[in-house]
C-alpha cells in the first residue's frame, strides 16, 4: 500500500487534517459520510461523461452519446460503437468514429465512468445493509472552490478541468487510506479496495492534462494544488467527504 500511496501523497500539498478524521470516525457522522461519498461517485461519473460529450464528439454529433445509465450495463470497456449506444452509423456518421479513435480522452473516461458507477452501487449496498437511507445532502465547497479557478479559453479550460480531476481523485485516495483504519472492518476493507482505482484515475487525469496542454503544466498543477490544500486546511462549516477542518461537531 505504501508504494501505491507514495506518489499520491507527493502530489498533494497536504495531508487530511487529524481534526477531519476525528469527526469522520464518529458513528453519528457515518450517514453523511456515506451519502456524500455516494454523491461524489455519481458526480465523478457525470464529470467524465460530460468530458466525453464535450471533447470527444463533434458538436453536431453529441446527441449520439447515450445517457449515463447506459454504462451501468456494460461488463467491459466498450468498443466505439458501444460508446455511442450501439447505434447503427449511417454514411454521414463515419467521421464520428474517426473523432473517437483519435481522442485520448475516450477510453480513460469511459473506464472511469464505469468504475465510478460501480463504486456508487457498492456504497448504496453498504448503506442499505446499515439502514442508512439515501437522501439529499448539500454539496461541499470543495469542487466549487476548485472549479472557480478554471480558465475560460481552450485548451486552458480542459487542461484545468483535468488537473482538478486529478486532485479530486488523489484526495479521495489519500482520504480513503487515512480513514480506513478508524472504521469498522467491512467499511475499512471497502475503502482500501478503492485505492488502486483512485490512484490510477488521478494519474490518468494528469497525463491527459499534459497531453492536451501541449506544453509544460507544472506551474498550473502547482497553483491548483495550493488552492486544493487551502480548501482542505481551512475551517469549514460543513462536514462532507472532501470538507476542510471542522468548525462544529455536527454533520449537517
Amino acid at each position: 500500500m505504501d508504494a501505491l500511496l507514495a506518489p499520491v501523497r507527493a502530489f498533494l500539498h497536504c495531508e487530511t487534517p487529524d481534526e477531519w478524521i476525528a469527526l469522520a470516525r464518529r458513528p453519528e457522522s457515518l450517514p453523511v459520510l456515506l451519502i456524500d461519498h455516494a454523491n461524489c461517485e455519481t458526480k465523478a461519473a457525470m464529470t467524465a461523461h460530460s468530458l466525453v460529450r464535450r471533447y470527444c464528439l463533434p458538436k453536431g454529433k453529441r446527441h449520439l452519446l447515450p445517457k449515463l445509465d447506459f454504462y451501468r450495463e456494460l461488463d467491459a470497456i466498450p468498443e466505439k460503437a458501444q460508446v455511442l449506444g450501439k447505434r447503427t452509423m449511417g454514411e454521414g456518421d463515419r467521421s464520428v468514429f474517426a473523432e473517437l479513435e483519435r481522442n485520448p480522452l475516450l477510453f480513460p473516461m469511459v473506464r472511469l465512468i464505469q468504475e465510478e458507477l460501480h463504486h456508487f452501487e457498492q456504497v448504496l449496498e453498504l448503506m442499505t445493509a446499515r439502514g442508512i437511507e439515501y437522501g439529499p445532502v448539500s454539496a461541499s465547497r470543495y469542487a466549487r472552490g476548485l472549479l472557480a479557478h478554471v480558465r475560460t479559453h481552450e485548451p486552458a479550460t480542459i487542461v484545468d478541468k483535468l488537473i482538478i480531476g486529478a486532485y479530486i481523485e488523489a484526495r479521495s485516495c489519500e482520504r480513503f487510506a487515512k480513514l480506513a483504519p478508524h472504521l469498522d472492518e467491512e467499511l475499512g476493507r471497502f475503502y482500501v479496495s478503492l485505492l488502486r482505482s483512485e490512484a490510477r484515475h488521478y494519474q490518468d487525469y494528469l497525463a491527459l492534462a499534459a497531453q492536451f496542454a501541449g506544453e509544460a503544466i507544472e506551474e498550473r498543477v502547482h497553483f491548483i494544488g495550493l488552492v486544493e490544500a487551502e480548501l482542505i486546511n481551512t475551517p469549514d462549516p460543513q462536514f462532507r467527504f472532501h470538507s476542510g477542518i471542522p468548525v462544529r461537531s455536527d454533520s449537517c
Side-chain angles (χ1 to χ4, degrees):
M1 186 187 296
D2 287 343
L4 179 69
L5 291 171
V8 173
R9 290 168 175 158
F11 177 65
L12 296 169
H13 288 243
C14 69
E15 291 187 22
T16 290
D18 290 339
E19 296 94 328
W20 186 89
I21 296 294
L23 178 56
R25 65 184 294 183
R26 295 182 186 177
E28 62 268 27
S29 298
L30 189 60
V32 168
L33 181 73
L34 289 178
I35 291 170
D36 195 52
H37 178 185
N39 288 342
C40 288
E41 300 291 0
T42 300
K43 289 173 186 175
M46 290 173 63
T47 296
H49 188 263
S50 176
L51 289 172
V52 172
R53 185 177 184 276
R54 170 68 179 81
Y55 293 100
C56 292
L57 292 168
K59 189 172 183 180
K61 302 296 183 180
R62 292 174 187 166
H63 65 282
L64 294 172
L65 189 68
K67 293 183 179 179
L68 198 62
D69 280 347
F70 168 77
Y71 297 94
R72 298 180 193 273
E73 310 298 325
L74 301 178
D75 295 326
I77 297 176
E79 300 295 332
K80 295 189 294 296
Q82 290 179 305
V83 170
L84 298 180
K86 298 183 180 178
R87 291 174 169 83
T88 301
M89 295 288 103
E91 185 73 26
D93 289 326
R94 289 185 180 175
S95 63
V96 176
F97 285 114
E99 289 282 336
L100 291 170
E101 188 75 67
R102 290 193 300 266
N103 199 296
L105 266 178
L106 179 67
F107 289 116
M109 290 299 100
V110 170
R111 179 170 61 178
L112 189 147
I113 290 169
Q114 293 172 287
E115 290 178 344
E116 302 292 18
L117 290 175
H118 178 59
H119 296 164
F120 171 75
E121 297 294 341
Q122 289 179 296
V123 177
L124 285 189
E125 288 178 9
L126 284 167
M127 289 170 57
T128 299
R130 293 157 187 261
I132 298 172
E133 185 176 352
Y134 183 59
V137 296
S138 58
S140 72
R141 66 180 187 177
Y142 180 75
R144 184 172 63 253
L146 288 168
L147 291 170
H149 295 274
V150 171
R151 294 169 291 179
T152 57
H153 59 280
E154 297 291 1
T157 298
I158 178 63
V159 170
D160 283 356
K161 286 181 178 179
L162 291 168
I163 294 171
I164 288 169
Y167 273 107
I168 292 173
E169 297 291 337
R171 178 60 62 190
S172 297
C173 184
E174 183 264 353
R175 198 155 271 197
F176 286 142
K178 192 165 185 179
L179 182 57
H182 302 285
L183 301 173
D184 63 77
E185 183 179 355
E186 180 188 36
L187 191 54
R189 187 169 61 249
F190 171 60
Y191 276 5
V192 169
S193 76
L194 299 179
L195 297 182
R196 192 167 301 279
S197 61
E198 300 299 310
R200 176 168 38 76
H201 293 169
Y202 114 78
Q203 291 170 338
D204 283 348
Y205 269 123
L206 201 59
L208 288 166
Q211 191 166 350
F212 272 85
E215 60 184 18
I217 62 171
E218 287 80 7
E219 184 176 339
R220 193 65 186 167
V221 170
H222 181 74
F223 168 76
I224 293 175
L226 293 176
V227 172
E228 196 272 345
E230 183 177 9
L231 290 165
I232 293 297
N233 265 336
T234 52
D236 194 336
Q238 286 184 312
F239 170 67
R240 298 291 183 267
F241 191 81
H242 290 100
S243 56
I245 297 175
V247 297
R248 60 184 184 183
S249 59
D250 63 18
S251 56
C252 299

